[in-house]
Amino acid sequence: MKGTVLLAAGGTGGHLFPAEALAHELKRRGFSILLVTDKRAEKFAGDFPADRIEVVPSATLTSKNPVAILGAIWTMIRGARHSDRVVRAEKPVAAVGFGGYPTVPPMGSARKAGIPSILHEQNAILGRANRFLGRRVKCIAVGFPQVGKTPNVPVIETGNPVRPMVEAAMRAAYPGRRPNEMLRLVIFGGSQGARYFSEALPPALALLETEERRRLSILQQARPEDEAALKAQYRELGISAEIAPFFRNMPEEISKAHFVVARAGASSVTELAVIGRPSLLVPLPGSLDGDQAANAITMAEADGAFVIQQAELGAGRLASLLRLALEEPERLSRMAQNARRTGIPDAAKRLADCVECVISGGDVTQLEF
């Protein structure tokens, strides 16, 4: 083994999925993997190729309640001490932080121990944890060019690493169709997106002609509490639909789609780009620092996606876009090609190159991708 690389990530899919992709690549190169995260990561841990997973106490100062603030501070102190012990025991050769407040204690411990460190930012705007940690690392690897430069720290556009199931989906060609054939429509968007799309799609679909609705085959993510009502609405509209709170292999479902409706989270935009599927992206209103709207810029400029703010997407406008998807397959095919051109399919290898470069004491700005 070449040594242990510490990967620190918040316990959500948006942070963990690119960390998982890097872990696979580093394992192929002979490194062992230590994942440091929080307890939310348990539902994703089964697919993560870590040799060891360490759950560190973590908290944020979001409450104004003095008791809650004191509790959060004590939790952060515990997390810092725990991280110090882990770093001393494991002696990692490098540390990579993927954002989220749980990364602060382990990345801080790595810095104190003199371990070469990298940050990876999935979104087009630096998150708060990465902004806080960004002055103390060898480089910041970014998923989108909109992040721009930061003072005194090199910024390297690696793209967002994607998991093996996404790599498998990338091999599927765009499924062509004629205007009179069935259109496969995939709709997803996390808990908040699932709620909005469950409310927005039925009224828009009701504005289509009966014959148009019969040409739709829908796969949609919905919250458990919305699932039964949404199924009933689609049955009443005569639409063939598969609805569930969770799909085990969403990248594969995306690869089967002619058109996708989704939020503009970093993972969603990245997967749509590398798989190459046309989409309607609806950024989450009020997303932190407006990152979702920024994430969608490259795809929109390339004409790989329609990007519409939620406040501007009424039932009539949504129905018009669905009708366009039904009637203009050649346009969707062009959008699919445009979307794929924006993707960086070898992002995991690029990020792994950065890791090996800082371990060896090299200059990441000299790497050629």
Side-chain angles (χ1 to χ4, degrees):
M1 281 289 179
K2 294 181 176 179
T4 297
V5 176
L6 185 158
L7 304 183
T12 64
H15 297 303
L16 283 166
F17 290 161
E20 177 192 333
L22 177 62
H24 281 288
E25 180 61 27
L26 290 174
K27 294 276 281 189
R28 282 192 285 268
R29 298 186 184 199
F31 292 93
S32 61
I33 302 298
L34 167 65
L35 171 65
V36 182
T37 185
D38 65 86
K39 61 183 179 182
R40 297 174 299 169
E42 291 175 353
K43 62 182 177 181
F44 301 106
D47 294 324
F48 206 103
D51 297 277
R52 179 180 172 190
I53 297 176
E54 193 72 33
V55 174
V56 171
S58 56
T60 54
L61 297 172
T62 55
S63 174
K64 296 181 180 179
N65 183 299
V67 176
I69 290 173
L70 287 172
I73 291 173
W74 174 239
T75 299
M76 287 188 283
I77 292 171
R78 287 170 50 227
R81 291 174 176 172
H82 189 150
S83 295
D84 286 345
R85 291 193 298 271
V86 169
V87 168
R88 283 196 301 268
E90 295 291 327
K91 298 179 175 57
V93 295
V96 186
F98 285 86
Y101 60 86
T103 65
V104 174
M107 295 302 291
S109 297
R111 180 186 63 83
K112 286 190 292 182
I115 295 164
S117 303
I118 291 174
L119 296 178
H120 182 271
E121 177 56 58
Q122 298 85 57
N123 290 294
I125 296 174
L126 274 179
R128 294 177 185 181
N130 280 350
R131 287 203 300 269
F132 176 75
L133 295 165
R135 293 164 293 181
R136 304 173 177 87
V137 296
K138 297 293 185 182
C139 76
I140 300 175
V142 299
F144 295 97
Q146 288 81 8
V147 173
K149 297 180 179 180
T150 60
N152 306 318
V153 178
V155 174
I156 309 296
E157 186 184 352
T158 59
N160 284 322
V162 296
R163 299 165 291 156
M165 66 172 62
V166 182
E167 292 178 342
M170 286 162 48
R171 294 192 282 270
Y174 181 71
R177 55 177 286 275
R178 295 189 178 93
N180 61 338
E181 294 178 336
M182 295 290 289
L183 177 115
R184 180 68 165 172
L185 177 64
V186 171
I187 305 158
F188 66 95
S191 59
Q192 294 186 61
R195 177 183 178 181
Y196 167 68
F197 293 134
S198 294
E199 295 171 348
L201 264 295
L205 292 165
L207 296 177
L208 299 179
E209 299 294 333
T210 301
E211 183 273 333
E212 291 173 321
R213 293 197 295 268
R214 286 175 179 162
R215 285 188 281 138
L216 287 172
S217 172
I218 293 178
L219 181 138
Q220 183 167 349
Q221 181 186 37
R223 300 184 307 167
E225 56 267 39
D226 298 329
E227 184 178 355
L230 189 60
K231 286 180 177 178
Q233 287 176 297
Y234 284 164
R235 275 197 304 272
E236 189 173 329
L237 291 169
I239 294 173
S240 170
E242 182 181 354
I243 299 165
F246 178 75
F247 293 94
R248 183 70 183 82
N249 193 336
M250 184 56 82
E252 182 180 9
E253 300 298 344
I254 292 172
S255 74
K256 298 174 184 176
H258 296 107
F259 191 60
V260 176
V261 178
R263 287 299 194 191
S267 292
S268 299
V269 174
T270 296
E271 291 177 9
L272 287 166
V274 297
I275 296 171
R277 295 298 179 266
S279 60
L280 164 62
L281 298 175
V282 187
L284 177 67
S287 59
L288 194 62
D289 300 321
D291 57 4
Q292 288 212 1
N295 292 345
I297 289 174
T298 301
M299 191 85 87
E301 289 178 345
D303 192 29
F306 304 105
V307 180
I308 303 176
Q309 298 298 323
Q310 183 172 311
E312 301 170 3
L313 189 62
R317 190 171 186 185
L318 180 52
S320 295
L321 286 170
L322 295 174
R323 186 171 286 116
L324 180 152
L326 282 163
E327 302 301 331
E328 299 186 33
E330 291 183 359
R331 180 169 181 181
L332 292 191
S333 183
R334 289 195 301 272
M335 289 177 67
Q337 294 173 9
N338 294 338
R340 188 182 286 271
R341 291 190 190 102
T342 70
I344 302 178
D346 63 343
K349 293 180 180 178
R350 293 186 182 195
L351 187 53
D353 287 347
C354 291
V355 173
E356 292 203 292
C357 183
V358 300
I359 290 172
S360 66
D363 182 356
V364 293
T365 63
Q366 299 304 306
L367 291 173
E368 295 184 2
F369 299 131

